[in-house]
Amino acid sequence: MEYMLTTENLSKRYGRFRALDGCTMRVEKGAIYGFVGKNGAGKTSLIRLICGLQEPDHGTYTLCGIKNTDREIHKVRRRMGVMVEAPSIWPDMTAEENLRQQYRILGLPSMEGVRELLEMVDLRDTGRKKAGHFSLGMRQRLGIAVALAGSPDFLVLDEPVNGLDPEGIIEIRELLLKLNRQRQITILISSHILDELSRLATHYGFIDRGRILREISAAEWERSCGRHTRITVSDMTALSRVLEERQIRYTVCSDHAADIYDRLNVTDLVTALACENCRVETIEEREDSLESYYVNLLGGGRHE
């Protein structure tokens, strides 16, 4: 398994406040990693550390296999694009001028790619309009374009959809999916808007009080507590036999109820159970939210 980012027991204090407390996490290459936690849980502190804005008090991290104590770490950081807390843009410049300025800061030899970036974030027609007059969604997209200058492999975004209207959220979502799928950019995105995050992420890391509570892939989450069908029957033994014959994934909830996680042909199932003298009482579609999963984690609940 190749990782874009790993951390080992990272700790960081600000006075008496422990922002990170032995934080250990793994971000696979090619993933969209949803970094979930309340305000003050440690998300922004970790992002600041891996960006080199601050140093950890204890622990280590690696970027693309290079340890933070290695003198080559600054070269690896040039392969990162970052937007922390707010877009890094100049309000008195146009979108194109902002990108050209970022190219100069990075020391890039030519401005080739500026127009392509503007096209990618749908800001090609903003002309001479200053960024200070952009809508919030436009500023967020410009901030992402600035982070993409230099063609990074790893994009780190801190609350990129905060405050956006539904249309703006959809625009950011579609942009991030395109970057991940078409350009194979690994994305770490911190957010507390969990419903939106569940439409994007391939992996999740849940943090609280500076510690990772759990890491899980989106596929694992879907299997364990995502969309499923709850069925209640008169004979659980018969239901288990029928489901296993069809190699349908399920978990037993009680003596008369089970959750089914594969696509279901209801007519076939009911007919097969009738042949087993098993009566179907109810069938209902269910979907546990990412928010409920996180709340259960905080409260000590289990999702096995």
Side-chain angles (χ1 to χ4, degrees):
M1 185 70 66
E2 281 193 278
Y3 295 104
M4 185 62 71
L5 167 70
T6 69
T7 75
E8 295 289 344
N9 297 313
L10 275 186
S11 296
K12 182 66 179 179
R13 280 182 176 272
Y14 301 102
R16 294 184 177 182
F17 176 65
R18 191 185 294 271
L20 293 174
D21 185 16
C23 180
T24 297
M25 62 189 288
R26 304 282 184 272
V27 178
E28 292 182 21
K29 285 188 176 180
I32 299 179
Y33 187 101
F35 197 25
V36 179
K38 299 180 293 186
N39 290 337
K43 303 189 302 295
T44 301
S45 294
L46 183 133
I47 289 172
R48 288 182 173 277
L49 293 187
I50 66 174
C51 293
L53 299 175
Q54 295 174 337
E55 292 295 324
D57 297 329
H58 301 286
T60 61
Y61 62 88
T62 67
L63 291 169
C64 297
I66 303 299
K67 211 167 186 177
N68 64 298
T69 52
D70 193 307
R71 64 178 60 186
E72 297 295 307
I73 191 67
H74 72 281
K75 294 181 180 179
V76 179
R77 285 205 186 99
R78 291 181 67 86
R79 296 166 58 185
M80 292 176 62
V82 182
M83 188 171 74
V84 181
E85 295 180 328
S88 299
I89 59 177
W90 286 267
D92 58 342
M93 292 184 181
T94 67
E96 182 171 347
E97 289 168 346
N98 266 278
L99 286 178
R100 287 180 176 275
Q101 182 68 6
Q102 183 67 9
Y103 270 51
R104 295 185 191 99
I105 290 171
L106 295 175
L108 298 177
S110 81
M111 297 294 165
E112 186 178 351
V114 168
R115 296 302 301 173
E116 181 185 357
L117 277 179
L118 290 173
E119 181 87 20
M120 181 182 299
V121 299
D122 198 22
L123 292 175
R124 61 193 178 281
D125 297 324
T126 53
R128 302 305 302 168
K129 186 175 183 177
K130 304 298 185 184
H133 298 295
F134 284 3
S135 68
L136 179 56
M138 293 170 68
R139 291 199 298 273
Q140 292 293 89
R141 296 203 306 276
L142 178 56
I144 292 173
V146 169
L148 290 170
S151 301
D153 302 316
F154 187 25
L155 187 61
V156 179
L157 304 173
D158 190 14
E159 301 285 0
V161 298
N162 221 10
L164 296 184
D165 59 22
E167 183 179 357
I169 289 174
I170 292 170
E171 289 172 349
I172 296 295
R173 181 205 310 158
E174 291 177 347
L175 171 60
L176 296 181
L177 287 172
K178 181 167 65 174
L179 292 172
N180 178 254
R181 293 169 180 173
Q182 296 181 8
R183 296 198 170 197
Q184 288 75 54
I185 296 176
T186 304
I187 302 173
L188 186 151
I189 172 171
S190 85
S191 181
H192 62 271
I193 304 176
L194 302 192
D195 179 61
E196 178 57 28
L197 203 57
S198 68
R199 302 170 192 267
L200 271 173
T202 62
H203 296 74
Y204 301 101
F206 300 91
I207 187 170
D208 187 53
R209 299 180 182 180
R211 286 180 173 268
I212 295 292
L213 300 177
R214 184 169 298 173
E215 290 182 300
I216 188 172
S217 71
E220 289 170 330
W221 173 65
E222 284 285 348
R223 285 196 298 269
S224 65
C225 59
R227 190 176 294 110
H228 60 274
T229 302
R230 172 68 60 86
I231 183 169
T232 58
V233 295
S234 61
D235 186 345
M236 180 55 66
T237 301
L239 176 63
S240 296
R241 185 162 53 246
V242 169
L243 293 177
E244 287 171 9
E245 285 173 355
R246 287 158 176 74
Q247 297 183 326
I248 294 174
R249 293 179 301 121
Y250 71 99
T251 58
V252 175
C253 303
S254 70
D255 292 342
H256 296 282
D259 286 337
I260 298 173
Y261 296 99
D262 289 326
R263 183 171 292 183
L264 198 59
N265 184 322
V266 175
T267 301
D268 172 68
L269 180 64
V270 171
T271 301
L273 289 173
C275 292
E276 297 278 346
N277 295 316
C278 174
R279 185 175 64 257
V280 176
E281 305 288 353
T282 62
I283 297 179
E284 59 178 318
E285 291 292 323
R286 292 192 171 192
E287 184 172 9
D288 292 342
S289 69
L290 190 63
E291 183 174 358
S292 67
Y293 181 84
Y294 177 54
V295 168
N296 282 334
L297 277 181
L298 291 181
R302 293 173 61 89
H303 285 259
E304 299 296 349

